[in-house]
Amino acid sequence: MMQLLRDILDKQVVDREQVKIGKVDGLVAELRQGKPPRLVAVELGSIALARRLGAQPGRWTARLAAKLGGKRQARPHRIAWNKVRDIGVHIEFDIDVRRTKIFAWQHWLRDHVVGRIPGA
């Protein structure tokens, strides 16, 4: 039997090509009346991580992300649990990270900040 917090939270996430995406920062469960909760997605990113510290840090981080990156950056990145391929040292999802917006913030920093540093 798997213990979600121990076996899933903070575990490295990779896509089908073994590209490291990040770590699991949050879990999304569906509450069902008369049945146990069902895991539906994992969340990645600073907003999900900040929510683990409490509601206020989560709201602050979401506001900052929205101000810097627009409204669509104000939510954590979610990967549906039904996309899991394997759970081992890493959690492998059947996705291609290049077709997602997960790295959008890193690409923006590369293009607008790091790329403007002389010699970078």
Side-chain angles (χ1 to χ4, degrees), residues 24-79:
V24 175
D25 295 311
L27 303 170
V28 180
E30 174 185 44
L31 299 177
R32 305 175 299 168
Q33 190 167 355
K35 296 180 182 179
R38 183 175 68 108
L39 190 59
V40 295
V42 298
E43 292 184 329
L44 303 118
S46 58
I47 297 168
L49 186 59
R51 286 179 182 166
R52 288 169 60 181
L53 299 174
Q56 191 64 36
R59 283 192 294 271
W60 289 338
T61 305
R63 270 191 241 127
L64 179 61
K67 188 171 189 165
L68 295 175
K71 281 189 174 185
R72 64 180 183 195
Q73 296 296 327
R75 292 185 309 271
H77 300 287
R78 282 190 180 176
I79 304 174

Side-chain angles (χ1 to χ4, degrees), residues 9-111:
L9 205 58
D10 295 325
K11 203 160 208 181
Q12 181 68 54
V13 175
V14 296
D15 74 354
R16 69 174 70 110
E17 303 297 324
Q18 301 301 304
V19 174
K20 291 181 180 179
I21 299 171
K23 295 196 177 198
V24 175
D25 295 311
L27 303 170
V28 180
E30 174 185 44
L31 299 177
R32 305 175 299 168
Q33 190 167 355
K35 296 180 182 179
R38 183 175 68 108
L39 190 59
V40 295
V42 298
E43 292 184 329
L44 303 118
S46 58
I47 297 168
L49 186 59
R51 286 179 182 166
R52 288 169 60 181
L53 299 174
Q56 191 64 36
R59 283 192 294 271
W60 289 338
T61 305
R63 270 191 241 127
L64 179 61
K67 188 171 189 165
L68 295 175
K71 281 189 174 185
R72 64 180 183 195
Q73 296 296 327
R75 292 185 309 271
H77 300 287
R78 282 190 180 176
I79 304 174
W81 187 250
N82 64 7
K83 296 287 187 182
V84 169
R85 271 186 161 176
D86 184 47
I87 299 174
V89 174
H90 306 303
I91 301 175
E92 182 181 341
F93 283 90
D94 189 19
I95 64 168
D96 182 351
V97 73
R98 294 170 299 182
R99 296 180 178 247
T100 70
K101 301 280 186 195
I102 292 174
F103 290 150
W105 181 242
Q106 291 175 351
H107 293 156
W108 185 91
L109 282 174
R110 180 194 63 210
D111 297 343

